Amino acid sequence: MIHIKNFIFNNYEIYPNKIYYIDEHDLYFFDSNEMFYICIKKSTDINENEIKVYFDLIEEVNSKNSKIKMNRIVKTKNNEFYCRKNNKIIILFKKESCDSIEEIVNFINEQDYANTLNLPIVNLKERIEKEIDKIEENVLDNYNDYPLVEKSFNYFIGMAENSVQLLNDYDTKNEKYLGLKSSFFDFEKLSNYNIFDFFRSNKYYNEAITIKKKIFLHEFNFNEIDHLIVEMTENDLIYLFSIFLYPIEYFDILSLMFSNEKELSREAKEKYNNVLKKIIDDSNYYLKFLNYFRNKCIKFKKIELINWII
């Protein structure tokens, strides 16, 4: 741990009081009363020009709206946007006072920054395909030790593949908005979004995730979706159905369980396992919602073809 503290100090002249891990890609620490966190990226995943664009976006948002402050990128002592360690790109963020992700996303979308600043953001299909590959890689080597995962994994992977199948028929011309990949659950209160979690999306993405969360908590009446369906085009409905099909709640739990398994306490393992059991137990209930939505959109052939949920 000392070598990490020294690395941060040598590059940023900030010495952490204590390092806290979130997973192999993120950690956070405190210096006096300020909170920082580090995002670790593969050198093949991002380049300096992209980081510069994100830096400009953060500065633009923070200067234009006094009520919204995005977590900002801290430059190194050599005035660079990142530093390197073992073929990894290390980017340091400082947490700002505003923690309303929804307000930030809404403001960026209102200002049309996704387009005017030419943000290099992947779309939902690309992100999902990468997540599926990562989950399969992390899980398949370990899931025999977890009966609940072994029992359920193929079912939820099948849902994810159906989501991608629908997105193959989705016209991305409507992706003029920002979505944000944040955890479905709020276990890690100090786990902070960073700008690289944004992706290009349809305007209904954030609403779809909110609906999924309400269904998970049994706080959503199925017919509440009707008003959305009426105003949406077939293309939008394909997008919405793909999000409903994609089991983000299941994959988020697996990520927490497997991405840094050796660091998990017994209490954490038990907590995650209990949530996983609830997701699996509720799968039939959620299937009823998917069937309700499908029946409302039955006139659209591409949605009708997803018929295994009947």
Side-chain angles (χ1 to χ4, degrees):
M1 192 67 71
I2 294 296
H3 73 280
I4 298 177
K5 291 184 176 183
N6 288 336
F7 176 83
I8 294 170
F9 180 76
N10 289 337
N11 285 278
Y12 293 97
E13 296 184 333
I14 298 169
Y15 196 79
N17 297 334
K18 186 176 180 180
I19 297 287
Y20 302 83
Y21 279 98
I22 298 171
D23 58 33
E24 75 270 30
H25 300 297
D26 297 278
L27 55 87
Y28 60 91
F29 64 87
F30 292 91
D31 174 65
S32 299
N33 294 321
E34 295 185 319
M35 179 177 162
F36 297 83
Y37 64 99
I38 282 177
C39 176
I40 303 172
K41 307 285 285 186
K42 293 180 181 178
S43 58
T44 54
D45 287 345
I46 197 163
N47 60 53
E48 184 172 1
N49 289 335
E50 290 176 339
I51 299 173
K52 173 65 166 60
V53 171
Y54 288 123
F55 179 87
D56 290 343
L57 169 65
I58 294 169
E59 296 301 304
E60 178 77 9
V61 171
N62 288 352
S63 66
K64 289 290 180 64
N65 193 319
S66 60
K67 296 181 179 179
I68 294 177
K69 295 297 178 185
M70 294 184 70
N71 297 337
R72 64 181 180 85
I73 295 174
V74 180
K75 290 186 178 181
T76 70
K77 66 181 184 181
N78 296 322
N79 203 37
E80 296 174 339
F81 295 112
Y82 66 92
C83 51
R84 291 181 180 271
K85 182 177 175 61
N86 300 331
N87 296 319
K88 303 282 188 180
I89 287 180
I90 312 295
I91 304 147
L92 179 66
F93 287 83
K94 179 181 179 294
K95 181 171 174 57
E96 296 293 347
S97 58
C98 177
D99 58 2
S100 174
I101 295 173
E102 291 78 12
E103 287 183 20
I104 291 170
V105 171
N106 288 340
F107 180 74
I108 290 174
N109 285 332
E110 287 170 4
Q111 301 299 315
D112 198 30
Y113 286 143
N115 297 302
T116 58
L117 295 181
N118 295 317
L119 298 183
I121 305 171
V122 300
N123 63 29
L124 182 65
K125 179 175 177 289
E126 292 171 325
R127 184 172 68 76
I128 285 179
E129 289 174 330
K130 288 181 179 179
E131 286 182 357
I132 292 173
D133 290 342
K134 181 180 177 182
I135 287 289
E136 287 183 320
E137 180 182 341
N138 287 341
V139 170
L140 291 179
D141 291 337
N142 300 290
Y143 84 157
N144 288 333
D145 298 327
Y146 292 83
L148 280 177
V149 179
E150 184 177 13
K151 167 186 173 183
S152 58
F153 189 67
N154 287 338
Y155 172 81
F156 287 101
I157 279 289
M159 290 182 70
E161 290 172 347
N162 273 189
S163 175
V164 171
Q165 176 187 335
L166 270 178
L167 288 173
N168 285 332
D169 295 317
Y170 169 68
D171 185 344
T172 59
K173 66 183 179 182
N174 288 336
E175 292 191 335
K176 301 176 181 178
Y177 300 84
L178 287 187
L180 179 67
K181 173 63 173 74
S182 57
S183 176
F184 191 81
F185 304 101
D186 295 323
F187 295 138
E188 303 290 353
K189 293 296 184 183
L190 293 174
S191 175
N192 293 277
Y193 80 91
N194 68 65
I195 193 68
F196 308 113
D197 292 327
F198 286 114
F199 61 94
R200 197 172 294 277
S201 74
N202 183 292
K203 67 178 181 179
Y204 293 104
Y205 175 82
N206 295 320
E207 189 159 7
I209 296 300
T210 298
I211 290 171
K212 284 177 71 76
K213 289 182 178 182
K214 287 182 177 180
I215 294 172
F216 179 79
L217 297 171
H218 289 236
E219 295 177 352
F220 186 79
N221 294 321
F222 294 172
N223 60 7
E224 291 180 53
I225 197 72
D226 293 357
H227 77 282
L228 265 185
I229 294 174
V230 170
E231 69 181 39
M232 295 172 72
T233 65
E234 179 180 9
N235 195 50
D236 288 333
L237 288 168
I238 287 172
Y239 186 89
L240 192 64
F241 197 26
S242 71
I243 298 172
F244 289 151
L245 282 168
Y246 186 67
I248 183 176
E249 66 285 358
Y250 180 82
F251 286 164
D252 275 2
I253 284 295
L254 294 195
S255 293
L256 290 168
M257 291 173 69
F258 292 114
S259 65
N260 200 19
E261 184 189 354
K262 293 180 181 178
E263 301 290 333
L264 290 181
S265 65
R266 182 176 59 83
E267 291 79 8
K269 288 182 180 179
E270 182 178 352
K271 175 170 61 176
Y272 297 157
N273 204 60
N274 287 339
V275 175
L276 180 63
K277 184 177 185 302
K278 179 179 182 340
I279 292 170
I280 295 169
D281 289 345
D282 276 359
S283 59
N284 285 335
Y285 174 74
Y286 190 70
L287 203 61
K288 291 179 180 178
F289 167 73
L290 290 178
N291 196 34
Y292 178 91
F293 182 85
R294 177 184 176 276
N295 287 338
K296 288 289 181 178
C297 309
I298 199 72
K299 64 180 179 179
F300 300 117
K301 188 68 175 177
K302 291 167 185 175
I303 293 177
E304 181 191 5
L305 290 175
I306 308 294
N307 56 18
W308 59 269
I309 64 176
I310 298 176

